[in-house]
Amino acid sequence: MTHLVDLVADLGEGFGAYTMGDDQALLEMLTSANVACGFHAGDPRIMDDTVRTCVEKQVAVGAHPSFPDLVGFGRRAMDLAPEEVRTDVLYQIGALQAFAVAHGTRVQHVAPHGRLGNLVAVRADYARAVVDAVASLDESLIILAQDGELADAARARGLRVGIVGIADRAYRDDGTLVPRSEPGAVIHDPDEVARRTLRMVTEGVIRSVDGTDVPVACDTVLLHGDSPGAIALAGRIREQLLAAGVGITSLDNVLSGKGV
């Protein structure tokens, strides 16, 4: 059996004159992109340029909505009501959708960012709010998430779900990520990250901080480009997957190959 996987990264995460990460280098390796929609990063010019470049590189465009937290880069918890989450997510997808249409493409998926992304995995009310926003706009949109409340709520509404594997982040036994505020949350050893990626894709497991193999149905691997050596590591991961006979293709193709 040939394993298929999508490669995705967070793009467009600058603001005004400020940039973060090497989007151009990452785009050479990706099949999908999570594009910041203005609430944690991104502005109209950056969104326009990012979508344009994705189209040129034949990379599928996805929305990366966040809490309204520019100062904290969307990584701080905010005490929002579920209705605020729903309308904020709807607003952000709609903004990116406008740029997608302008450049002759469409939004493929929605991947909540940062603290919102963490909370929708464990808070049923926030998960339902995101699903309500997506379903009311376009039921063909794929929900990109970790296993948890968001994935469950999306499937219950008949939406397609792509499970994201994050090889350079530590996992707990319940399949959730170790918070960045805790020691060891981010794995920096390139050899370990590469091994973890290959196991996620070919074996469907990842080793938790307690030494347990946790099941991970990895449809897409999240690559990073905003730390020293990240681009080289991303290239290494891609090369290792190809060497192992893994097919790298869009998230839509991965899910279709699984009958989803």
Side-chain angles (χ1 to χ4, degrees):
M1 174 181 173
T2 300
H3 296 281
L4 297 177
V5 74
D6 173 57
L7 297 182
V8 67
D10 303 339
L11 301 184
E13 292 189 316
F15 193 82
Y18 297 93
T19 60
M20 178 177 288
D22 190 340
D23 287 6
Q24 291 297 322
L26 275 176
L27 276 164
E28 299 298 330
M29 309 177 204
L30 303 179
T31 44
S32 297
N34 300 329
V35 182
C37 301
F39 273 32
H40 76 282
D43 60 40
R45 269 65 58 193
I46 290 174
M47 292 170 70
D48 184 58
D49 183 63
T50 303
V51 171
R52 178 190 300 110
T53 309
C54 284
V55 171
E56 291 172 355
K57 300 292 184 179
Q58 297 184 322
V59 172
V61 173
H64 203 33
S66 167
F67 283 140
D69 180 27
L70 271 175
V71 172
F73 199 66
R75 289 178 175 165
R76 299 182 295 184
M78 301 184 73
D79 190 22
L80 271 61
E83 179 64 6
E84 291 177 291
V85 172
R86 183 187 72 84
T87 50
D88 282 355
V89 168
L90 186 60
Y91 180 96
Q92 291 174 83
I93 301 171
L96 186 67
Q97 196 175 50
F99 288 107
V101 171
H103 289 290
T105 190
R106 61 180 294 272
V107 177
Q108 170 193 247
H109 67 271
V110 177
H113 164 82
R115 188 59 179 155
L116 176 61
N118 297 146
L119 289 176
V120 293
V122 297
R123 281 192 58 165
D125 57 345
Y126 278 9
R128 286 193 300 269
V130 172
V131 169
D132 286 346
V134 172
S136 68
L137 180 64
D138 183 354
E139 291 186 342
S140 73
L141 289 168
I142 300 167
I143 296 287
L144 191 59
Q146 297 172 259
D147 274 317
E149 294 287 349
L150 178 57
D152 292 344
R155 292 188 184 108
R157 289 285 290 274
L159 300 179
R160 300 169 79 195
V161 176
I163 299 299
V164 59
I166 311 175
D168 65 351
R169 290 293 303 276
Y171 280 69
R172 290 173 167 160
D173 286 351
D174 63 359
T176 61
L177 297 179
V178 174
R180 287 179 177 270
S181 58
E182 296 183 14
V186 180
I187 299 166
H188 299 286
D189 182 349
D191 292 332
E192 184 176 1
V193 173
R195 283 194 300 269
R196 289 164 67 86
T197 302
L198 190 58
R199 289 200 71 200
M200 280 195 303
V201 175
T202 61
E203 299 178 39
V205 297
I206 195 164
R207 185 63 55 89
S208 76
V209 289
D210 294 324
T212 302
D213 280 346
V214 178
V216 176
C218 180
D219 299 310
T220 183
V221 174
L222 180 64
L223 304 177
H224 291 115
D226 57 356
S227 59
I231 299 299
L233 177 59
R236 178 177 174 179
I237 288 171
R238 180 184 173 91
E239 290 172 2
Q240 180 168 291
L241 290 171
L242 290 172
V246 175
I248 297 176
T249 185
S250 72
L251 181 59
D252 182 64
N253 289 338
V254 172
L255 296 181
S256 296
K258 294 182 176 181
V260 177

